[in-house]
Amino acid sequence: MKVVVVDHPSGDQLPILLDDEGLPITLANEFVLARRANGRNTLVRNLRELSFLYQWSNRERIDLWERISSGKGFTEAELRGGLLECLRRDQSKGRKVKKLSITPNTFNQRLTTVCQFFSFFYDVYLGSMPLDDMRSDRIPV
């Protein structure tokens, strides 16, 4: 996964997250579009933080949309033992890593971005449901 910055003719610079095949990851990019009032560097950082979430979900074979739309959610073991540990690790490539973890501030930024993304994810899902659909009562918000 990688983040690329697209230069628009209007002068705007918008980062997008691409998967391993070079295709855009739709919901992560919609999340950034909704936050485009933030600076370019902030949006790039947010997409890099979300890339850790997507790498974790791919490695664990978890379809994020299916989990949320089914109402199943995530287990504590998946979140504490999997996702949080992934967010805590230094993800740098191509250089020797002296330590396996990152600073608390970096971890908190990653965690905050992932939490905001999940909130956005739920908003998109709930907004796509019909008003009379009672499944929305089961979604933990």
Side-chain angles (χ1 to χ4, degrees), residues 4-24:
V4 295
V5 178
V6 176
D7 294 323
H8 290 277
S10 66
D12 292 333
Q13 293 183 322
L14 187 66
I16 60 172
L17 181 62
L18 302 176
D19 64 11
D20 294 330
E21 298 172 4
L23 299 172

Side-chain angles (χ1 to χ4, degrees), residues 1 51-64 66-67 72 74-86 89:
M1 284 189 203
S51 73
F52 304 143
L53 168 68
Y54 277 97
Q55 288 170 2
W56 168 77
S57 70
N58 289 342
R59 187 174 55 248
E60 299 295 321
R61 292 180 168 53
I62 296 173
D63 181 353
L64 297 175
E66 187 274 327
R67 282 292 183 95
K72 182 179 176 185
F74 300 94
T75 66
E76 183 177 358
E78 288 172 332
L79 294 177
R80 285 186 185 252
L83 179 59
L84 290 181
E85 290 306 314
C86 179
R89 295 188 64 83

Side-chain angles (χ1 to χ4, degrees), residues 87-101:
L87 295 176
R88 271 194 186 98
R89 295 188 64 83
D90 188 341
Q91 304 286 334
S92 58
K93 295 179 182 175
R95 72 174 202 223
K96 289 189 176 183
V97 179
K98 294 182 180 178
K99 57 183 179 176
L100 295 177
S101 62

